Amino acid sequence: KCLDICVLRRCCQDGMHVYAGSIDEADREKGRHPMNTLPADRLLGSVLQPNFGGCCIPKLLLHDTSGESTPFGKVEGPCCFGGWSEMCFSFKFYASLFESKGKEGDIGLIKKQKPQSAAGAFTELMSDSDNYRIEFNPSVNLTASQKATVLTSQVLIDYMLFDGNTEKCSSDDSGIYCYLWYCSLIGMLVPCVVYIPRSG
């Protein structure tokens, strides 16, 4: 899979699948396996991007099975996120039942928290370490597999939106690029950037 591309077809979708127990065998290389070789009876759930990636809002669909069935839930985030804005703002991702209106959060809330101290800000700047808080709504009865799928969505959010191609700064021979925040557009990440040219 490729990060930071438009999600126009199934082959462009990012996603994760949750399995019960180990899926690796002694005579097989560990790591990513073709989906058709994994034990379907041990699949607990799947988290997948929808086609068009939620348009201008990052969106993930939560499935009980491989993604062919109707999702039981969805996770929707903010339009803008990441970059230097991570130092000042927390970002909320609402986990809702699939039939609910947008950002109801009736399943729960996934929150990427801003740094709470100078040490937290230094850690945020120097590493890929992030702090998340996940709150489940106790009035919604989810199965253990569904809760595991919601937790997996947090890992995918972190991978796609905060640890992938969403650095705070980069440079080349011409200058320095400071990324203030990123926006989602049909699954592609579009940065708001400040360019500082090199002198001389």
Side-chain angles (χ1 to χ4, degrees):
K1 303 286 184 181
C2 297
L3 280 173
D4 195 19
I5 62 170
C6 292
V7 182
L8 302 177
R9 298 176 56 103
R10 186 179 178 100
C11 63
C12 304
Q13 294 171 333
D14 275 311
M16 289 184 149
H17 305 284
V18 187
Y19 286 86
S22 174
I23 59 170
D24 289 308
E25 299 173 2
D27 60 345
R28 185 165 29 176
E29 182 182 356
K30 293 185 180 292
R32 185 175 175 183
H33 298 278
M35 279 299 296
N36 57 0
T37 67
L38 297 176
D41 59 326
R42 288 165 47 196
L43 180 65
L44 299 179
S46 299
V47 182
L48 298 171
Q49 279 183 301
N51 281 339
F52 309 112
C55 293
C56 294
I57 295 175
K59 185 175 182 180
L60 298 172
L61 300 180
L62 310 174
H63 295 268
D64 285 314
T65 56
S66 64
E68 301 300 330
S69 63
T70 301
F72 73 85
K74 58 190 174 184
V75 177
E76 297 167 298
C79 180
C80 299
F81 47 83
W84 280 99
S85 68
E86 290 181 60
M87 304 301 293
C88 304
F89 302 102
S90 295
F91 301 98
K92 295 180 180 179
F93 295 83
Y94 297 89
S96 310
L97 295 171
F98 185 67
E99 301 82 13
S100 300
K101 294 180 180 178
K103 298 188 178 183
E104 285 290 314
D106 41 13
I107 289 177
L109 178 68
I110 301 169
K111 184 176 181 183
K112 186 199 178 293
Q113 296 181 298
K114 67 181 179 181
Q116 302 296 316
S117 64
F122 184 77
T123 302
E124 181 81 36
L125 284 172
M126 302 305 292
S127 72
D128 285 334
S129 178
D130 295 313
N131 288 320
Y132 285 86
R133 181 183 179 99
I134 301 176
E135 300 173 0
F136 286 99
N137 183 351
S139 65
V140 176
N141 293 321
L142 297 180
T143 66
S145 297
Q146 289 173 332
K147 284 187 177 181
T149 304
V150 174
L151 293 173
T152 302
S153 72
Q154 180 271 313
V155 176
L156 186 57
I157 288 167
D158 189 52
Y159 173 71
M160 288 172 39
L161 305 181
F162 298 103
D163 285 344
N165 298 327
T166 55
E167 65 269 18
K168 292 175 180 59
C169 291
S170 67
S171 64
D172 58 23
D173 291 340
S174 64
I176 299 171
Y177 303 85
C178 293
Y179 303 98
L180 303 182
W181 64 80
Y182 292 81
C183 296
S184 178
L185 180 62
I186 317 177
M188 182 173 64
L189 302 182
V190 180
C192 175
V193 62
V194 172
Y195 171 68
I196 304 169
R198 293 185 188 273
S199 60

